[in-house]
Amino acid sequence: MTGSRQIGKTTLLAELIGGEKLPGLQSKAVFSGAHHPDKVELLETTTGRKTVVGHYENGSMQVQPEGFEAFGVRCIHTAATAPSEWVQIDELGFLERDCAAFADAVERLFEQKRVVAVLRKQQGIPLNDALLARPDVFVFDLDELIPPDSLQIGCVILAAGEARRFGANKLLAEFQDRPMLEQSFLRLPARLWSNTLVVTRNKEVAELAAAYGLPTITPEGAQLSDSIRCAAKSLKGLDGALFSVGDQPLCRAESLQLILRDFVAHPNAIVRLSFEDWQGNPVIFPGDMLLELEKLTSEQGGNTIIRRHTERLRSVQALFAEELEDADTPQKLNALRQIPRE
């Protein structure tokens, strides 16, 4: 099994094995702060024994190879000789990349046992690439499950604000070596949506959207309600629409997929990304509310509609609080640049 972070790989694995403790290994990130895990532990599923295989240092997770090469290899050998037909590994990721002895043990295990494994979805991991290429492996990608063909869901990227507090077009400001708006384009792949629209009044933004093959529409005015009305009218008839802003550079694709999955399960609800009690963006509105969004006036925004229908609101928790932060000033953007990412 593979798929984005927090999409439900471990939950599905638990359902598949029905609560059994199959021989094998499980990795677990240990958090004490909001931004990153302090360490990663490797756990032997049948005994509960564990060791540290990664620790956070200098802005990234650093591998402790001895954890894999001693403890990890020993646990795999134990699983290979266990009487169970099946063994489990949850998950294989980037920390194992440079641990050749561990990688060899895992590949031998696939020859010796039937293995149900969770693989981190990331390019450039030789062990994972080798396992995915095996002719005897069935790959189940949870990202391909949403949305079903029966639901037509649009995606709106709001990029028409005047950015008065920023003093320039903040959407074109650099973030992680690319214009900030590109972060939205990358985390909202067009394949997930029936229709994707970028709402803008700026020529450079429109050209950037065109480079990604994304159509643009132009609102009548600069107010937020103008952009929302314009988009809602264009998406009329769909089962729902996600409204996203272009200045949340740390919002993760995994969190966006969580709210999309929740809407697929509850297509009559308003689903919004939150963190604890903080209600933020993006928001998915069901199709019957697009007409109400078309009628917004003056300084009204999506919250006007949400307040009318609080009984239909569902909040989905983001992975990290900073995902909801917007870069509305140069100082705020610089602060967001300093937050480490895994």
Side-chain angles (χ1 to χ4, degrees):
M1 287 169 286
T2 189
S4 301
R5 292 182 61 201
Q6 299 295 317
I7 202 169
K9 301 184 294 293
T10 296
T11 301
L12 178 58
L13 174 61
E15 291 293 325
L16 287 173
I17 65 179
E20 276 191 73
K21 284 190 175 181
L22 294 179
L25 291 168
Q26 183 175 27
S27 60
K28 182 180 180 181
V30 180
F31 288 80
S32 64
H35 299 323
H36 58 77
D38 297 309
K39 60 184 177 179
V40 175
E41 295 178 337
L42 193 64
L43 172 78
E44 187 175 37
T45 54
T46 52
T47 66
R49 294 185 302 140
K50 60 187 178 182
T51 192
V52 176
V53 293
H55 66 280
Y56 192 83
E57 183 179 336
N58 297 326
S60 64
M61 188 62 67
Q62 305 295 319
V63 64
Q64 293 187 204
E66 64 275 11
F68 287 110
E69 294 172 357
F71 179 83
V73 170
R74 187 167 62 249
C75 291
I76 288 178
H77 288 164
T78 300
T81 58
S84 171
E85 178 184 8
W86 286 88
V87 300
Q88 72 174 81
I89 301 178
D90 178 16
E91 70 176 359
L92 294 171
F94 72 97
L95 287 177
E96 296 89 330
R97 182 170 47 203
D98 299 320
C99 299
F102 182 79
D104 290 344
V106 170
E107 291 199 72
R108 286 196 302 272
L109 184 65
F110 271 70
E111 300 290 344
Q112 298 164 309
K113 291 284 189 177
R114 304 183 76 177
V115 183
V116 56
V118 172
L119 273 61
R120 182 185 179 98
K121 195 170 191 178
Q122 180 177 325
Q123 295 181 342
I125 304 177
L127 172 59
N128 289 12
D129 292 342
L131 295 177
L132 291 170
R134 288 177 63 103
D136 58 348
V137 163
F138 174 75
V139 180
F140 189 64
D141 188 340
L142 273 72
D143 289 336
E144 300 301 327
L145 296 181
I146 53 175
D149 291 339
S150 58
L151 279 181
Q152 301 296 307
I153 305 170
C155 174
V156 178
I157 300 172
L158 299 170
E162 295 187 329
R164 291 190 181 93
R165 295 177 62 191
F166 199 89
N169 192 331
K170 60 182 176 180
L171 300 179
L172 300 176
E174 180 273 329
F175 191 89
Q176 296 181 351
D177 300 320
R178 63 178 76 244
M180 178 165 56
L181 182 59
E182 284 193 39
Q183 305 295 333
S184 292
F185 297 164
L186 293 170
R187 67 178 178 244
L188 291 165
R191 63 179 176 80
L192 294 179
W193 315 98
S194 302
N195 192 356
T196 300
L197 298 174
V198 179
V199 185
T200 186
R201 302 167 69 239
N202 181 276
K203 180 182 177 182
E204 291 177 277
V205 168
E207 291 173 349
L208 184 60
Y212 278 81
L214 299 175
T216 57
I217 54 176
T218 304
E220 294 180 356
Q223 292 185 324
L224 176 61
S225 58
D226 295 316
S227 292
I228 295 176
R229 283 199 312 272
C230 178
K233 184 176 181 180
S234 297
L235 298 178
K236 189 184 302 182
L238 297 185
D239 296 298
L242 176 139
F243 285 79
S244 174
V245 294
D247 62 349
Q248 288 179 232
L250 291 179
C251 190
R252 294 174 178 248
E254 296 91 337
S255 293
L256 295 172
Q257 291 188 16
L258 288 175
I259 64 172
L260 179 55
R261 286 172 61 85
D262 195 85
F263 181 77
V264 168
H266 306 91
N268 293 316
I270 304 168
V271 182
R272 81 183 306 172
L273 194 63
S274 307
F275 189 85
E276 296 178 352
D277 294 332
W278 182 4
Q279 301 290 307
N281 291 308
V283 180
I284 303 181
F285 289 94
D288 66 304
M289 293 185 189
L290 293 177
L291 182 59
E292 292 186 58
L293 291 169
E294 271 191 73
K295 297 179 179 178
L296 291 176
T297 60
S298 187
E299 296 293 332
Q300 292 179 329
N303 282 328
T304 302
I305 309 303
I306 293 173
R307 285 192 291 268
R308 291 178 193 165
H309 303 282
T310 55
E311 76 286 353
R312 294 172 66 178
L313 176 63
R314 293 178 57 84
S315 296
V316 173
Q317 292 292 300
L319 304 177
F320 302 99
E322 61 266 19
E323 294 186 62
L324 304 186
E325 297 279 6
D326 55 17
D328 51 6
T329 66
Q331 294 76 19
K332 187 66 172 292
L333 177 59
N334 285 333
L336 294 178
R337 286 174 176 148
Q338 303 310 308
I339 296 176
R341 298 200 62 185
E342 184 180 337

